Amino acid sequence: MRGAVTKESAIKPEYTDKGLLVLEPTYKYIILLDVSQWDNSIVLDDGLFLACDSGLKHKAIMRSNISSAVAGNEGLFNLNIKGNGILCLESPTPYEELIEIELQDDVLKVDGNMAIAWSGSLDFTVERSGKSLMGSAVSGEGLVNVYRGSGKVLLAPVG
């Protein structure tokens, strides 16, 4: 059922031992992240996950605010990766151009889906930035992605 919603395959190949993993050709950028540097829990924007160490656990997590996710043209699910190991993802921007923001009991509001990853410890919601809830919900304009708490957010300056 989860695969039907997230469009993920129910069967995931697992490779063991030592060797070389070759990925499909892409015009995007391949980035390796150490999940331990994200307090052993990182959440990814839709469609970025490529591969990870077999010791890492991954599951789809549902957004806490479904109606605003739909109005904001965002997916209903994100992929949460937990554990200690290396994660391989596909980014629209080279790693050197990504912007990492660290929050300490703070709030970050981002207009648009510029965040490609964030700490699993952060509370993520989509909220209206303007005064009119009806106007925001109908047009999708005036909605921002909000990250609350302590952790990191990785932003791509272009989508």
Side-chain angles (χ1 to χ4, degrees):
M1 172 124 172
R2 182 180 83 185
V5 174
T6 63
K7 298 189 180 27
E8 288 183 359
S9 170
I11 300 170
K12 300 229 185 269
E14 185 171 317
Y15 305 97
T16 58
D17 215 344
K18 295 182 181 180
L20 178 67
L21 177 65
V22 179
L23 302 170
E24 294 178 0
T26 180
Y27 290 107
K28 294 187 178 181
Y29 301 90
I30 306 301
I31 294 177
L32 300 176
L33 293 177
D34 184 349
V35 180
S36 69
Q37 294 181 357
W38 293 77
D39 291 330
N40 297 324
S41 179
I42 189 169
V43 180
L44 302 176
D45 198 30
D46 291 339
L48 300 181
F49 177 81
L50 293 177
C52 67
D53 284 340
S54 62
L56 291 170
K57 304 297 179 205
H58 47 90
K59 68 176 184 173
I61 55 172
M62 185 178 249
R63 301 257 176 121
S64 59
N65 190 335
I66 295 172
S67 61
S68 61
V70 172
N73 203 20
E74 301 286 336
L76 295 177
F77 292 89
N78 289 105
L79 186 63
N80 180 251
I81 310 287
K82 288 187 176 184
N84 191 4
I86 303 298
L87 164 67
C88 179
L89 57 91
E90 189 175 41
S91 169
T93 307
Y95 183 78
E96 299 77 29
E97 295 179 19
L98 294 174
I99 301 163
E100 186 177 296
I101 297 175
E102 188 151 352
L103 302 174
Q104 290 297 324
D105 293 320
D106 208 349
V107 177
L108 174 68
K109 294 183 179 184
V110 180
D111 188 6
N113 59 347
M114 305 304 267
I116 64 169
W118 54 93
S119 298
S121 58
L122 293 173
D123 179 31
F124 171 70
T125 58
V126 178
E127 301 174 6
R128 63 183 177 94
S129 63
K131 297 177 183 175
S132 166
L133 177 61
M134 183 57 89
S136 295
V138 171
S139 69
E141 294 296 320
L143 295 173
V144 292
N145 292 334
V146 180
Y147 306 86
R148 284 188 175 81
S150 296
K152 298 192 290 188
V153 180
L154 194 59
L155 299 172
V158 294

